[in-house]
Amino acid sequence: GTGEGKDIPRNAAIAIGKVGRAKLIGKPASGQGLEDAVEPNLALLSEIDEIAHFFAAVTGSKAQSYLIELAGNLLRLYSASSGIYTTRQRAAARGVSPSRSVENPCVNLIGFATPEKLGEAMSVSNIEDGLMGRMLFAFGRAGVTPRRSLKPLVVPESVLQVTEAIRVVISAKAFDKSPTIEIQVASDANKMLDELLIKFDAMANKPSSPFARSLQMRSFEKCERVAGVLAVWSNPASPMITVEHVAWAEQVILASDRAALHFCGEYMHGGQVQADAALVLKTVKRMLKGEIKPQRSNELAHIKAGQVPRSMALRGCKLDKRRFEDAVGYLVSLEDVREAAAAGDPSNSNKPGTRVLLLAREAA
């Protein structure tokens, strides 16, 4: 969320990239620019502070060709990271570099955004083309007590030692003209990976949402990559994936998948009515949890009874009446919300029954 301290993990990523001697860039302006920045056997870190604006530009209906190519290059670089990435062929001319074959490109993209803005910027097509499925997702935790950051970020000595050991190994391999470092897999870890392949495939095929399969199709591949990173971190000279590495990687991917599905379900919407409906549902939930307090005396009793007066929900959503009515109607048709009339005061005709919204069990 806004003001919740995203600069800390962003600065941590930059600091780790620096000690790892990665090539640091900001937001790539075009597919061609990103391609020209990629070098063989050299890590590249692109850090983007407001990545929602980046995706809005890349995936918008009026996106320029060089931005569309940028999204395509990100997909290609992911697939080519353990092989060879061939750059575009430019017209022959003096001073123009020919097409290059980049071995083992290592492009890392880290971005931060408020979920609401990212939900507006990304579309279902980003799920369908596999771009979102290649990412790891994490949410900031709500309700954390703020603290002042009084000291600059210092990379621990243990991290410095590992990154230096990795650099030494890579330098020695380059000197021998054999930069490939093979990651071995222990037999029990290999068996565990086989089991996870089936497990992740079964999870992706569960009909939990229309886009769950596309989001989770790369889960096993990402799990294997995380385990490989851990193996190199544990032993740069002779990396071997162990059961412990696989188990840790599995938990990372499961957490990421939960965050991705939550993000898509809560913040990505195909139209205005759907977006308004998500806002109404979120507001009603917050009111029932006590995060939004009643402003009128009669509303508190309804909240304690597990029901939200429609007038209270309308105020909280800050939608005009027509959009609110359409959104509630949409939620009722999905059976996420029920409408009811709470009993009024039979002895006082000036206090009729209150129209309230109740959450369906599944939506709660």
Side-chain angles (χ1 to χ4, degrees), residues 304-317:
K304 289 182 177 180
Q307 54 196 25
V308 176
R310 283 175 61 103
S311 57
M312 181 180 173
L314 177 59
R315 280 200 318 275
C317 296

Side-chain angles (χ1 to χ4, degrees), residues 254-314:
L254 289 175
S256 173
D257 284 352
R258 286 194 297 268
L261 290 170
H262 171 69
F263 165 73
C264 291
E266 290 285 329
Y267 300 101
M268 286 188 66
H269 312 289
Q272 187 64 58
V273 173
Q274 291 89 337
D276 290 344
L279 173 62
V280 172
L281 188 60
K282 182 179 179 180
T283 303
V284 169
K285 289 180 179 179
R286 292 185 63 197
M287 288 175 170
L288 291 174
K289 289 178 181 179
E291 296 175 8
I292 299 177
K293 304 297 183 184
Q295 298 178 7
R296 299 171 183 173
S297 57
N298 66 316
E299 293 173 344
L300 181 59
H302 288 295
I303 294 298
K304 289 182 177 180
Q307 54 196 25
V308 176
R310 283 175 61 103
S311 57
M312 181 180 173
L314 177 59

Side-chain angles (χ1 to χ4, degrees), residues 65-311:
S65 59
Y66 58 86
L67 291 174
I68 296 173
E69 186 174 354
L70 175 55
N73 283 353
L74 287 172
L75 295 172
R76 288 179 57 212
L77 282 162
Y78 179 92
S79 301
S81 58
S82 60
I84 296 176
Y85 179 87
T86 304
T87 65
R88 68 197 184 283
Q89 179 63 51
R90 291 179 283 191
R94 181 178 297 178
V96 175
S97 302
S99 176
R100 297 183 298 140
S101 293
V102 182
E103 294 186 357
N104 305 315
C106 182
V107 175
N108 305 274
L109 177 69
I110 183 169
F112 301 87
T114 60
E116 293 83 3
K117 284 297 181 183
L118 190 61
E120 292 175 7
M122 302 193 82
S123 65
V124 176
S125 64
N126 300 134
I127 301 175
E128 294 171 344
D129 66 13
L131 182 60
M132 288 183 65
R134 287 167 166 83
M135 300 178 184
L136 295 176
F137 279 75
F139 272 86
R141 287 183 297 173
V144 176
T145 303
R147 293 185 298 171
R148 296 168 61 202
S149 180
L150 301 176
K151 297 180 180 179
L153 182 70
V154 177
V155 179
E157 182 64 30
S158 59
V159 175
L160 297 175
Q161 292 174 355
V162 173
T163 54
E164 179 61 20
I166 293 173
R167 188 192 66 79
V168 169
V169 170
I170 292 175
S171 298
K173 287 285 186 179
F175 181 77
D176 294 338
K177 299 186 184 301
S178 58
T180 300
I181 301 172
E182 186 175 351
I183 300 175
Q184 305 292 326
V185 185
S187 58
D188 52 354
N190 201 48
K191 180 182 178 182
M192 188 175 181
L193 284 170
D194 286 339
E195 294 170 350
L196 279 178
L197 175 62
I198 305 302
K199 176 181 178 179
F200 279 121
D201 183 67
M203 291 175 64
N205 281 293
K206 284 184 178 179
S208 55
S209 72
F211 41 71
R213 178 170 174 78
S214 296
L215 274 174
Q216 296 176 291
M217 280 299 294
R218 298 276 178 174
S219 293
F220 174 76
E221 188 176 350
K222 291 187 291 188
C223 180
E224 200 171 29
R225 289 178 183 224
V226 172
V229 170
L230 295 174
V232 173
W233 192 264
S234 297
N235 187 352
S238 183
M240 175 175 287
I241 295 176
T242 66
V243 167
E244 290 76 17
H245 295 145
V246 177
W248 199 91
E250 178 191 4
Q251 294 307 308
V252 170
I253 302 307
L254 289 175
S256 173
D257 284 352
R258 286 194 297 268
L261 290 170
H262 171 69
F263 165 73
C264 291
E266 290 285 329
Y267 300 101
M268 286 188 66
H269 312 289
Q272 187 64 58
V273 173
Q274 291 89 337
D276 290 344
L279 173 62
V280 172
L281 188 60
K282 182 179 179 180
T283 303
V284 169
K285 289 180 179 179
R286 292 185 63 197
M287 288 175 170
L288 291 174
K289 289 178 181 179
E291 296 175 8
I292 299 177
K293 304 297 183 184
Q295 298 178 7
R296 299 171 183 173
S297 57
N298 66 316
E299 293 173 344
L300 181 59
H302 288 295
I303 294 298
K304 289 182 177 180
Q307 54 196 25
V308 176
R310 283 175 61 103
S311 57

